[in-house]
Amino acid sequence: MRLAVLKERRAGETRVAATPETAKKLATLGCHVAVEAGAGLASGFTDAAYAEAGAEICTDAAATLFGAGVVLKVRAPLGAGEGEVDELALMHRGALLVGTLEAGANPGRAEAYAAMGLEACAMELLPRTTRAQSMDILSSQANLAGYRAVIEAAGAFDRGFPMLMTAAGTIPAANVFIMGAGVAGLQAIATGRRLGGRVSATDVRPAAKEEIKSLGASFVGYEDEESKNAQTAGGYAKQLSADFYAKQADVVAAHIAKQDIVVTTALVQGRKAPTLVTQAMVDSMKPGSVIVDIAADAGGNCAATRPGELFITPNGVKILGYTNWPGRICAAASALYARNLLTFITTFWDKEAQAPKLPEGDDIVQGVTLTRAGAVIHPSLTATKAA
Ligand code: NAD
């Protein structure tokens, strides 16, 4: 079975879907691994390292994809008119495509996969179950994003995180506030604490409160009857009422005015990120304060965020609104992402057929499969179409 690993061509993407470590393991499994030249360079993995791991290095996308039954990607392959190469058109009918395909937000993408006869698996739709944990790209990438956000906040902050006692006087510890305590937020809390900051955090899910406290941060937030049911069966935050958000904002506003660092990570699945930091809150912050908006990819949690940019407000607040936070720590992000995909392929590897076989009744397979045998089959996409 030939397995192709392409160079990522979408703007700003620095990660790669297989590393020399996983390429070696895929080869041991029985794959002939074909890697496009330069695919891992942005993440620090050379062609020589892939070759040493047993991979074939191919000059371009066409040569890499030629005859490939499996294609591993970080982001969705480029389609017609999306860039220099129409990667999709180069894929083979019936090939298994695995990546972060974001078909829900990109109408027409799943239909294109179906038209190409691909078995397309969107790994961001993986169920958050214990069995799926080691394939969970959202968790692995969010964890690193949370870490990186705090490190970049520390770099942008012109004071320091820990209390510094010197003969020349004392510098107080930084007040660090983490908004959203999911995977990214919990790692941000841990990182902020390790650096010596005075850390507080908020979330709407009741379970998050205990997690925040167990990491040694203080909880700041608004709770009522509505927030007792703020979590979906899948563990995600629900969209809450305008009244709840207004009350939450009242509680948070006074706190934010005293913060040096605010890291926002709040997401509501399938929707634009909620605005948690209003313009008035930004205006209330001291000059030199830093806001890091990890939710910038989903529109941002801060009203003043300019997605993709570092913006300094007229009152001197630095807002780091960069997108693709995992891509800002790409060697580690690629290593974990590649292991997530390796686990997926290994879990569904059929030894006799020497190929991955995805059982239709499996909950993981049902969770991620967008298209099969020329049709769009994922319930989230077929339901949208029917509505
Ligand atoms: P996410 O990225 O969807 O959202 C980040 C956080 O933002 C969440 O904690 C959410 O509650 C919070 N949020 C949303 N609206 C908010 C608001 N108005 N104010 C403050 N915070 C707000 O979340 P995630 O990191 O993907 O985690 C989602 C859930 O999945 C969690 O319960 C997590 O424990 C769970 N999880 C389970 C597994 C597993 O069991 N395999 C793996 C990973 C995550």
Side-chain angles (χ1 to χ4, degrees):
M1 171 62 60
R2 184 179 172 92
L3 179 146
V5 181
L6 290 184
K7 190 159 75 183
E8 295 296 322
R9 291 183 165 79
R10 292 199 180 264
E13 191 48 77
T14 47
R15 292 168 291 169
V16 62
T19 58
E21 177 202 302
T22 63
K24 193 171 186 174
K25 289 184 175 150
L26 288 163
T28 309
L29 204 60
C31 294
H32 177 93
V33 181
V35 177
E36 184 175 356
L41 264 191
S43 283
F45 305 113
T46 61
D47 290 347
Y50 285 104
E52 203 172 309
E56 176 195 354
I57 309 300
C58 304
T59 48
D60 56 19
T64 313
L65 290 168
F66 188 76
V70 181
V71 182
L72 301 187
K73 289 281 294 146
V74 176
R75 308 278 294 281
L78 297 180
E82 281 195 291
E84 59 198 276
V85 188
D86 183 348
E87 296 169 326
L88 206 49
L90 296 169
M91 291 186 193
H92 278 249
R93 279 201 87 74
L96 171 66
L97 167 65
V98 186
T100 318
L101 303 179
E102 298 171 313
N106 294 279
R109 204 172 263 183
E111 280 79 4
Y113 299 152
M116 287 293 300
L118 300 176
E119 188 164 20
C121 293
M123 294 298 284
E124 73 277 17
L125 300 178
L126 196 82
R128 308 303 277 278
T129 57
T130 308
R131 178 171 160 250
Q133 229 161 12
S134 50
M135 313 170 202
D136 185 350
I137 59 161
L138 288 185
S139 289
S140 72
Q141 304 302 289
N143 201 317
L144 292 170
Y147 165 79
R148 182 70 186 190
V150 174
I151 297 300
E152 294 210 25
F157 187 46
D158 43 25
R159 216 171 64 206
F161 267 45
M163 182 170 78
L164 296 167
M165 295 174 81
T166 77
T170 299
I171 305 287
N175 289 325
V176 181
F177 183 39
I178 312 296
M179 304 187 78
V183 179
L186 292 175
Q187 180 57 259
I189 293 171
T191 306
R193 296 254 306 146
R194 271 184 233 127
L195 288 179
R198 201 181 297 130
V199 183
S200 57
T202 191
D203 203 298
V204 288
R205 289 180 300 106
K209 185 176 176 180
E210 287 314 308
E211 290 169 346
I212 288 168
K213 288 186 179 168
S214 73
L215 286 174
S218 54
F219 175 79
V220 175
Y222 173 74
E223 296 165 280
D224 65 9
E225 282 305 310
E226 188 177 353
S227 63
K228 279 185 190 157
N229 297 307
Q231 186 162 320
T232 65
Y236 292 101
K238 284 184 191 163
Q239 176 79 6
L240 301 172
S241 69
D243 184 50
F244 176 89
Y245 285 130
K247 286 179 176 145
Q248 183 191 30
D250 282 347
V251 173
V252 159
H255 189 67
I256 285 191
K258 292 180 244 149
Q259 299 307 304
D260 300 299
I261 310 284
V262 175
V263 178
T264 66
T265 77
L267 293 175
V268 176
Q269 244 198 343
R271 291 179 179 264
K272 187 196 165 293
T275 302
L276 302 184
V277 183
T278 61
Q279 185 62 53
M281 292 180 199
V282 176
D283 293 343
S284 76
M285 294 178 79
K286 298 180 289 273
S289 309
V290 178
I291 297 174
V292 182
D293 196 342
I294 303 188
D297 285 290
N301 288 140
C302 172
T305 292
R306 297 185 177 180
E309 291 180 31
L310 159 65
F311 169 57
I312 303 179
T313 65
N315 64 321
V317 176
K318 291 180 192 164
I319 304 182
L320 278 59
Y322 306 130
T323 47
N324 191 5
W325 280 89
R328 300 181 72 78
I329 178 166
C330 52
S334 296
L336 299 190
Y337 184 94
R339 284 187 208 145
N340 290 146
L341 297 202
L342 170 70
T343 308
F344 180 74
I345 298 292
T346 311
T347 302
F348 297 111
W349 188 257
D350 184 318
K351 270 192 192 151
E352 260 175 45
Q354 281 291 291
K357 275 208 174 149
L358 309 188
E360 291 181 25
D362 186 282
D363 68 319
I364 292 176
V365 174
Q366 287 176 348
V368 299
T369 310
L370 300 179
T371 60
R372 185 185 297 124
V376 177
I377 59 160
H378 198 275
S380 69
L381 299 171
T382 48
T384 322
K385 219 173 174 186

